[in-house]
């Protein structure tokens, strides 16, 4: 037990994969695992009493910790306007990633015990896999939430956790059938593909000025003229919060300024857009961008000719009023080869 924690984790995962090939016939399928998780559909059901009677003390402490955190987790009122796995709800954010880090050693201690029954060992190995999946999902939820609040440091974290979730789903999706992890992976994969060979620069501010017309932002003193580009779970639908003078318009313009990105010679800056309606119009410094939206996450190169000599850039998007704030993620800036 003196090895590096990451080495221990890979040992656990290797053991689990082997156990899954030989141990599933013992009646402990993944949907019977008991683990509080940041999920709307907990993959939880009671553990057979005979198995619980043989739990090591560390495992009892493990479950007691999770019960305490679960009891303290905030409840979320279902939002019928959110039909996607993202953005995360407050209940999904109620499970901190640190909870998983803190409790994982208890599983390792249990697995290191001698004399465990085959059923209990198989259960522990499956539980370790489920624990790891939920830890990655929790990290992803928190990174998305922080990115929605325009925290630049969250972008590398989201890229890392999204890649981990993608790899984990490729290996274990058929075994650990958590619909939330699968849905988050499906939603993030097209966006994640745009980051290949590109480095994160930053994320555009979360609040955008809104107006019926391009290049005519409303006074910044009017709190009703700013909306979040990617609305939070409890903020949706955005249209319900707009003043009546704006609700009557079928489409509205969002306006944001950002510092002109500086990249090394031979590299190009890019806008990475989340999925937006095909009808979205995009202006940069008042000039329409030639790219046609595909209805999927999209990459737009910002060449020197497009950026010009401006120290700041003005980005404007025209969106259907009823779809304001529906973007899964904010607009990000990246750098890479053209």
């Amino acid at each position: 037990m003196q090895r590096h924690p990451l080495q221990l984790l890979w040992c656990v995962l290797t053991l689990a994969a082997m156990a899954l090939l030989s141990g599933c016939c013992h009646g402990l399928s993944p949907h019977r695992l008991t683990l509080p998780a940041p999920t709307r559909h907990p993959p939880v059901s009671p553990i057979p009493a005979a198995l619980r009677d043989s739990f090591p003390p560390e495992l009892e402490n493990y479950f007691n910790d999770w019960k305490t955190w679960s009891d303290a987790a905030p409840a979320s009122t279902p939002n019928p306007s959110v039909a996607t796995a993202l953005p995360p709800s407050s209940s999904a954010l109620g499970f901190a990633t640190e909870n998983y880090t803190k409790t994982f050693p208890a599983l390792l201690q249990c697995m290191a015990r001698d004399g465990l029954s085959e059923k209990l060992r198989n259960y522990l190995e499956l539980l370790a896999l489920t624990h790891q999946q939920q830890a990655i999902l929790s990290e992803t939820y928190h990174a998305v939430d922080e990115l929605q609040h325009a925290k630049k440091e969250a972008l590398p974290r989201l890229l890392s956790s999204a890649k981990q979730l993608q790899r984990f789903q490729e290996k274990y999706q058929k075994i650990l059938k958590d619909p939330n992890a699968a849905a988050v992976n499906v939603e993030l994969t097209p966006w994640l593909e745009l980051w290949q060979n590109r480095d994160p620069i930053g994320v555009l501010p979360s609040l955008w000025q809104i107006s019926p017309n391009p290049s005519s932002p409303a006074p910044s003193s009017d709190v009703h003229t700013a909306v979040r580009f990617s609305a939070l779970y409890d903020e949706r639908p955005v249209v319900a919060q707009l003043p009546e003078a704006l609700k009557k318009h079928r489409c509205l313009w969002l306006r944001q300024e950002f510092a002109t990105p500086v990249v090394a010679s031979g590299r190009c800056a890019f806008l990475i857009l989340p999925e937006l309606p095909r009808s979205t119009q995009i202006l940069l410094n008042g000039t329409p961008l030639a790219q046609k939206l595909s209805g999927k996450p999209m990459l737009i190169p910002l060449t020197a000719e497009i950026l010009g000599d401006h120290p700041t850039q003005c980005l404007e998007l025209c969106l259907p009023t009823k779809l304001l704030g529906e973007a899964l993620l904010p607009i990000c800036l990246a750098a890479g080869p053209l």
Side-chain angles (χ1 to χ4, degrees):
M1 298 296 293
Q2 299 299 317
R3 285 176 285 183
H4 192 278
L6 288 179
Q7 293 176 320
L8 284 172
L9 178 57
W10 281 113
C11 287
V12 169
L13 296 181
T14 302
L15 284 170
M18 295 172 61
L20 290 170
L21 295 175
S22 61
C24 289
C25 60
H26 295 285
L28 288 173
S29 57
H31 67 273
R32 299 194 63 82
L33 294 178
T34 298
L35 176 68
T39 175
R40 297 175 194 166
H41 306 285
V44 174
S45 61
I47 300 301
L51 189 60
R52 181 175 286 279
D53 291 342
S54 62
F55 276 6
E58 297 91 347
L59 199 56
E60 292 290 353
N61 295 336
Y62 174 90
F63 288 128
N64 288 337
D65 283 342
W66 277 108
K67 184 179 185 305
T68 299
W69 291 322
S70 181
D71 291 344
S76 290
T77 302
N79 186 346
S81 297
V82 181
T84 51
L86 297 172
S89 64
S90 57
S91 59
L93 295 168
F95 293 90
T97 308
E98 291 75 16
N99 294 357
Y100 295 91
T101 305
K102 179 179 178 180
T103 53
F104 194 68
L107 293 181
L108 296 179
Q109 291 175 9
C110 291
M111 295 174 69
R113 281 177 168 265
D114 295 327
L116 296 177
S117 69
E118 187 175 5
K119 280 190 175 182
L120 182 54
R121 186 171 295 281
N122 290 336
Y123 171 76
L124 290 173
E125 290 166 347
L126 284 167
L127 184 57
L129 272 180
T130 304
H131 184 113
Q132 176 67 0
Q133 177 178 257
Q134 296 304 314
I136 299 171
L137 185 59
S138 175
E139 176 75 12
T140 303
Y141 278 146
H142 284 87
V144 168
D145 181 67
E146 291 181 4
L147 199 65
Q148 287 185 295
H149 288 88
K151 295 183 179 180
K152 295 182 179 180
E153 64 275 13
L155 181 53
R157 286 179 51 211
L158 178 57
L159 290 170
S160 175
S161 64
K163 291 176 183 177
Q164 289 182 51
L165 184 61
Q166 187 179 64
R167 291 193 295 265
F168 204 91
Q169 285 287 297
E170 288 174 354
K171 290 183 178 180
Y172 303 115
Q173 183 175 2
K174 293 182 179 179
I175 299 168
L176 304 175
K177 297 181 179 180
D178 176 9
N180 299 279
V184 168
N185 181 54
V186 167
E187 291 178 5
L188 287 179
T189 292
W191 177 82
L192 191 61
E193 290 173 352
L194 300 179
W195 289 94
Q196 293 183 15
N197 300 320
R198 296 181 180 93
D199 302 314
I201 296 179
V203 55
L204 297 194
S206 55
L207 293 177
W208 291 53
Q209 290 293 318
I210 189 170
S211 174
N213 303 298
S215 301
S216 58
S220 58
S221 59
D222 186 350
V223 295
H224 295 293
T225 62
V227 300
R228 205 180 297 275
F229 177 80
S230 174
L232 307 178
Y233 184 86
D234 294 331
E235 292 178 338
R236 302 188 181 199
V238 167
V239 66
Q241 306 167 28
L242 295 179
E244 293 300 325
L246 294 177
K247 284 182 181 180
K248 66 181 182 181
H249 294 275
R250 293 181 60 186
C251 296
L252 289 170
W253 285 86
L254 296 179
R255 182 178 187 272
Q256 186 61 257
E257 293 187 353
F258 60 98
T260 300
V262 178
V263 297
S265 177
R267 289 166 67 83
C268 179
F270 296 87
L271 285 176
I272 293 190
L273 307 179
E275 181 177 329
L276 295 174
R278 294 174 183 268
S279 60
T280 303
Q281 300 178 55
I282 304 177
L283 304 180
L284 188 65
N285 302 321
T287 302
L289 292 179
Q291 285 81 0
K292 297 290 185 181
L293 271 71
S294 62
K296 299 179 180 179
M298 189 170 176
L299 189 75
I300 297 181
L302 298 177
T303 61
E305 292 76 17
I306 292 177
L307 294 175
D309 297 327
H310 310 287
T312 61
Q313 304 292 316
C314 178
L315 182 65
E316 296 173 278
L317 295 93
C318 185
L319 291 166
T321 303
K322 65 180 181 180
L323 297 181
L324 289 177
E326 289 291 304
L328 288 179
L329 298 171
I331 293 178
C332 299
L333 289 167
L338 185 60

